[in-house]
Amino acid sequence: MPAAAKDAARGVVRQVVDDLTRRLEEPTRAAVSGSLSRAQRNFRPRPSEIDWDRTIRANLKNYLPDRTTVIPERLIGMGRKRRSLRDIVLCLDQSGSMASSVVYAGVFGAVLSSLPAVETRVVAFDTEVVDLSEHLEDPVDLLYGVQLGGGTDINRALAYCQGVIQRPEQTILVLISDLYEGGNEREMLARARSLKDAGVNMIALLALSDDGSPSYDHRVARAYAQLQIPAFACTPDHFPALMAAAIRGDDVATWAGEQGLVVRGTVEHLD
């Protein structure tokens, strides 16, 4: 693409991304930060970890006027400081049918990466895998790192993700794909099982868009359901609450059903 045309295209992309960020940033920050705060709260704190402000507020009903003091029946701690409370990996299928999903995922990846208590990584794949995490500060640069089209090798993408996940029980892996595997399907399912067995909270989003019911591989969705990996399409407006539910450790399939999102491959929704 000529330099002038590329600059013009970047201007259009920047406008779209800025509009999406304004719409989606605050709900994402509010939902995820709230869940992280609850996950961090410690109800058996050491003396140095006591959050006295919250403790006093929680025990005001135990105020003794004659002694002008509060009896703290319940102690609330500030939580032990850690590098991050959760690791999030967004694994993006960059085949042409996933175009709108990739745009939204890029915006959400940038927003999540700005939260200090979350370590975020964005990985895009077709038959090759590219880690775009270094571009998370600018979602436009991230989107320019995506090459839409080509084949699909989910197995290779999951292998890469498996290699960079350091704290499986604290990791949420969101695979955004229509699940049409062009690589080794048997190995892919075995790898997904291995990730689940290690403690990774794995979710398959068949689409992250407002486009409605997606086209997807029904067999793989059923196989994922058997592995307790929920597979469903999600709108951008639902995504912040989805991440909040995953961070809290809620049953994501149950959460999706409560939101009216159809979880594919389950007994209730045989395809």
Side-chain angles (χ1 to χ4, degrees):
M1 182 184 292
K6 188 173 182 178
D7 288 343
R10 283 185 67 89
V12 173
V13 173
R14 168 62 65 190
Q15 182 176 353
V16 172
V17 167
D18 286 348
D19 288 344
L20 289 175
T21 301
R22 280 192 293 270
R23 167 189 162 192
L24 301 170
E25 182 172 22
E26 185 52 38
T28 304
R29 283 180 171 276
V32 172
S33 296
S35 290
L36 285 168
S37 295
R38 286 188 290 275
Q40 187 182 28
R41 199 166 298 169
N42 177 10
F43 293 103
R44 299 183 64 182
R46 300 179 181 131
S48 62
E49 297 170 346
I50 296 174
D51 185 329
W52 286 109
D53 182 65
R54 284 181 176 172
T55 295
I56 292 171
R57 289 175 183 273
N59 291 278
L60 284 176
K61 63 181 180 180
N62 301 320
Y63 177 66
L64 301 179
D66 56 329
R67 297 190 180 183
T68 63
T69 190
V70 171
I71 303 299
E73 289 183 349
R74 184 167 63 116
L75 298 176
I76 300 177
M78 293 178 287
R80 298 174 178 83
K81 294 184 178 180
R82 303 163 61 170
R83 175 176 58 86
S84 63
L85 288 172
R86 292 292 185 274
D87 297 336
I88 297 175
V89 181
L90 302 182
C91 187
L92 314 181
D93 181 344
Q94 57 183 358
S95 57
S97 61
M98 302 298 294
S100 59
S101 299
V102 168
V103 172
Y104 280 117
V107 172
F108 280 121
V111 172
L112 289 169
S113 72
S114 70
L115 300 176
V118 174
E119 189 75 23
T120 304
R121 186 182 292 269
V122 173
V123 175
F125 69 95
D126 44 29
T127 55
E128 302 295 330
V129 180
V130 58
D131 194 325
L132 300 173
S133 304
E134 66 183 39
H135 301 297
L136 282 173
E137 291 185 2
D138 186 345
V140 174
D141 285 343
L142 187 149
L143 293 174
Y144 263 81
V146 173
Q147 180 66 54
L148 291 171
T152 306
D153 194 334
I154 302 172
N155 180 48
R156 176 174 284 193
L158 292 183
Y160 179 85
C161 293
Q162 195 170 29
V164 298
I165 290 174
Q166 299 179 347
R167 304 186 306 164
E169 294 184 349
Q170 302 299 326
T171 299
I172 301 166
L173 170 59
V174 183
L175 171 64
I176 304 175
S177 172
D178 54 18
L179 302 182
Y180 287 110
E181 174 64 306
N184 189 318
E185 183 178 307
R186 184 174 180 178
E187 284 189 11
M188 181 267 287
L189 293 175
R191 203 173 298 281
R193 179 187 295 275
S194 177
L195 285 161
K196 283 289 295 182
D197 288 347
V200 174
N201 186 356
M202 185 171 170
I203 303 162
L205 292 188
L206 306 172
L208 178 56
S209 69
D210 294 306
D211 297 339
S213 182
S215 172
Y216 64 96
D217 190 312
H218 294 201
R219 292 181 307 102
V220 174
R222 286 194 293 270
Y224 271 30
Q226 292 174 356
L227 296 174
Q228 303 300 308
I229 300 172
F232 55 94
C234 179
T235 67
D237 288 338
H238 277 108
F239 188 80
L242 164 62
M243 296 310 301
I247 288 169
R248 290 194 302 266
D250 296 351
D251 184 303
V252 170
T254 299
W255 172 89
E258 292 172 347
Q259 309 307 310
L261 304 175
V262 178
V263 180
R264 308 292 176 167
T266 60
V267 174
E268 294 83 359
H269 298 283
L270 289 176
D271 302 302

